[in-house]
Amino acid sequence: MSVKQQIRKMVPKHAWRALQRAKADMKLKSYYSRQRKRFLSNCAGPWNSEQSEHSEQLRGTMVYYIHRIEKGLSHQCFRDGFGRSAFSELKTVMEQWRKHSYPVDDVTYQVAQNVIRAYVHKHRAIGKPVPRFVGEWFPAEIASADKPYDSAAEAGTKTVRAADKRNNASSDYATLFAGRTSVREYAEMDVDKEKLHNAVAIAMKTPSVCNRQAYRILFIRNPKFIERALTLQGGWRGYSMPPVLALISVDVRSFVSVEERNEPYIDGGLFTMSFLTALEYESLASCPLNTMMRANQEQEIRKLLGVPDYEVLIAFVAIGNFPESIESPVSFRYRPEFVTRELN
Ligand SMILES: Cc1cc2nc3c(=O)[nH]c(=O)nc-3n(C[C@H](O)[C@H](O)[C@H](O)COP(=O)(O)O)c2cc1C
């Protein structure tokens, strides 16, 4: 018998448990401390970008504002002249990019330029004046608004059509996956319950750490709950409420050691992706929505929807039927080489 086993035999059960808990607590503190430092020192928060302005931080910030502008361009009830604050931030980050002599033929920078051009095109197409702030801040992009550009740096909106989605169940995987896109405005029709449950059934094939399968999904159809939840969530401004809102969470009671502390988020994320693809297969439109709320908002959501404290929130998913035709943000993608490293 090992020394550890001998001590365990001698020590009363409750004291042993208290000891184990204290040890786990210490380990967690140390793990979280390292996670905290890594994030604090490297993320694109203003405290870091002021000093280092690394291209990756500027890139992340640029994509954030590009996406905000694309969302504004895609609204069914388009608000001309929108986006002053997003454009102001984009201008700053593009200036910083040039100041550091980062390449202006970089795809992110090009997409930033192209989203400005898409904004100009949209205003011209509907016969509205391009706001003065755009003219003042981006004269070069306005002057070159009609310049043809590389499709890899596409920006603005694309049209999504219900007719193109009807036969999704007979698509091959690559086509289905490439065709999925976030849709934030839906047809005024009920969502078929069976399709939702089929999508969950498909997503159950998601792999999870040691096959724990600790994800949970809550479907919300009550418009009052949907409206309250999405108001608290904060990332759904300017859109009508979806007919169905799903909340994906993971039950941490399935996890054993402190080294598994991040696994609920990995398994939950994988499940969310499977579920999104399965919704596409079922010809349902959807949009994943973050759960990165402040503590008091999260508490309110938990109370509203009856989510117990032992579940971590992964993502909401807004779900509806595809409208006949709808504009959706392009949301460009980097080339695979951009994310791939090889060590031979
Ligand atoms: C975890 C997660 C959280 C997201 N949160 C929001 C959100 O709060 N609001 C929103 O409009 N879109 C949200 N999105 C959708 C992204 O903007 C979208 O997936 C991204 O731009 C890529 O576009 P695509 O889904 O059309 O391919 C979220 C996506 C993910 C994966």
Side-chain angles (χ1 to χ4, degrees), residues 91-133:
K91 171 182 170 279
T92 306
V93 70
M94 288 171 81
E95 279 169 358
Q96 286 167 335
W97 186 272
R98 291 192 302 269
K99 191 181 89 187
H100 288 277
S101 305
Y102 293 135
V104 292
D105 61 355
D106 178 280
V107 68
T108 318
Y109 190 86
Q110 300 260 308
V111 175
Q113 290 192 301
N114 289 338
V115 83
I116 302 160
R117 293 175 181 134
Y119 184 91
V120 173
H121 281 177
K122 175 78 184 183
H123 282 76
R124 285 184 186 158
I126 57 168
K128 295 283 180 187
V130 176
R132 270 197 29 210
F133 62 82

Side-chain angles (χ1 to χ4, degrees), residues 27-74:
K27 276 176 130 189
L28 275 177
K29 273 190 189 130
S30 144
Y31 289 143
Y32 282 127
S33 164
R34 252 172 270 169
Q35 283 180 239
R36 179 177 59 78
K37 280 184 200 146
R38 181 177 300 117
F39 195 81
L40 194 65
S41 309
N42 295 293
C43 76
W47 58 93
N48 285 330
S49 46
E50 280 300 306
Q51 309 141 18
S52 55
E53 285 171 358
H54 191 279
S55 62
E56 240 14 79
Q57 293 160 336
L58 295 179
R59 198 192 293 284
T61 313
M62 242 190 291
V63 175
Y64 176 81
Y65 290 109
I66 292 166
H67 184 60
R68 257 178 61 179
I69 297 165
E70 284 192 337
K71 272 174 75 173
L73 287 171
S74 72

Side-chain angles (χ1 to χ4, degrees), residues 3-16:
V3 179
K4 191 177 169 188
Q5 281 168 331
Q6 283 178 26
I7 298 174
R8 187 174 180 174
K9 265 200 123 181
M10 280 153 46
V11 178
K13 238 182 186 168
H14 69 273
W16 178 259

Side-chain angles (χ1 to χ4, degrees), residues 229-338:
L230 287 182
T231 305
L232 288 164
Q233 189 266 346
W236 194 253
R237 275 184 222 110
Y239 298 105
S240 302
M241 290 303 132
V244 177
L245 183 67
L247 175 62
I248 296 169
S249 57
V250 171
D251 189 332
V252 298
R253 293 177 304 177
S254 292
F255 295 88
V256 183
S257 74
V258 293
E259 282 72 24
E260 292 181 335
R261 71 199 171 282
N262 296 321
E263 286 305 324
Y265 299 100
I266 314 289
D267 290 359
L270 289 172
F271 181 80
T272 304
M273 188 65 246
S274 304
F275 180 61
L276 292 171
T277 316
L279 290 172
E280 180 75 14
Y281 174 85
E282 294 293 335
S283 302
L284 286 174
S286 66
C287 179
L289 299 167
N290 71 75
T291 53
M292 47 194 194
M293 292 163 282
R294 290 198 198 97
N296 56 345
Q297 286 158 326
E298 181 178 323
Q299 272 319 103
E300 238 190 279
I301 291 259
R302 285 180 179 279
K303 215 169 127 195
L304 178 78
L305 306 177
V307 185
D309 195 53
Y310 51 75
E311 288 180 19
V312 293
L313 308 186
I314 305 297
F316 285 105
V317 183
I319 306 166
N321 289 289
F322 285 100
E324 210 173 294
S325 165
I326 194 80
E327 291 301 298
S328 187
V330 163
S331 292
F332 82 103
R333 294 299 204 272
Y334 292 113
R335 291 202 167 96
E337 306 83 87
F338 183 82

